[in-house]
Amino acid sequence: MTASPPAATVKDNREKLLERAMSRYQYSGDALIEVLHTAQELYGFLPPALLKTIAHKLRLPASRVLGVASFYHFFSLQPKAAHTFVVCLGTACYVAGALGLVEALDRSGAKPGSSGAKNDVSVQTARCIGACGLAPALIYDGVVHARATPQLIKAELERIGVK
Ligand code: FES
């Protein structure tokens, strides 16, 4: 039996994944909400530059994209906390133990969908971030981690002062 390689950061392919999502909808402006959902899952929030890119790709006025993103409370235009964890709960990551990552965050007091003001940590989940071969995948402060472990989360939480 071989030991699993340690968790490692991988190339950030979120841009490619968002492009793929827009392509799936044939860059139709009618798919704006679905595309915004995908973007938020991938990035944790919707920064202005990302909204501008989406507007350009879907051939929509930037004001419309911003209007939709700011109208629905589900969308966030700013990071919800100083530190953001996005745990992929897609099938490959789920099977590889992603729930253990959620539990590790849960033990810290940060719950999925929350923006724990107490500890300044936001926890979100995603369906698939396109790194299935390196499951379970975790995006921590914008960096994709392959084969993430509860120990990695524990170490990061300790590093930022969250017990
Ligand atoms: S299921 Fe997690 S990256 Fe695809």
Side-chain angles (χ1 to χ4, degrees):
M1 184 165 135
T2 57
S4 300
T9 57
V10 296
K11 188 174 178 300
D12 185 349
N13 62 352
R14 292 177 292 172
E15 207 173 297
K16 200 168 94 186
L17 292 168
L18 183 59
E19 188 74 36
R20 194 181 299 162
M22 290 187 285
S23 168
R24 193 171 47 242
Y25 294 113
Q26 297 164 345
Y27 299 93
S28 166
D30 292 341
L32 176 58
I33 290 181
E34 289 86 350
V35 169
L36 289 175
H37 270 285
T38 301
Q40 176 141 315
E41 280 189 338
L42 291 169
Y43 290 87
F45 71 106
L46 303 170
L50 187 57
L51 293 177
K52 222 169 161 179
T53 300
I54 291 170
H56 176 73
K57 298 274 184 173
L58 300 185
R59 294 178 301 277
L60 292 171
S63 58
R64 176 155 171 228
V65 174
L66 177 61
V68 170
S70 53
F71 178 79
Y72 292 101
H73 78 276
F74 172 82
F75 297 124
S76 177
L77 303 181
Q78 297 171 18
K80 291 181 177 169
H83 301 282
T84 302
F85 290 87
V86 181
V87 179
C88 178
L89 289 181
T91 306
C93 290
Y94 185 89
V95 168
L99 273 187
L101 306 179
V102 174
E103 285 166 9
L105 288 160
D106 192 40
R107 279 194 294 275
S108 79
K111 301 210 182 306
S114 76
S115 55
K118 184 181 114 205
N119 49 27
D120 225 9
V121 169
S122 167
V123 179
Q124 296 168 45
T125 57
R127 287 167 293 183
C128 176
I129 61 166
C132 306
L134 303 172
L138 166 78
I139 302 172
Y140 169 54
D141 283 350
V143 178
V144 180
H145 292 264
R147 288 181 279 281
T149 61
Q151 291 76 20
L152 168 77
I153 288 176
K154 190 169 181 265
E156 285 303 321
L157 291 173
E158 281 175 9
R159 194 181 60 78
I160 61 176
V162 177
K163 305 263 176 191

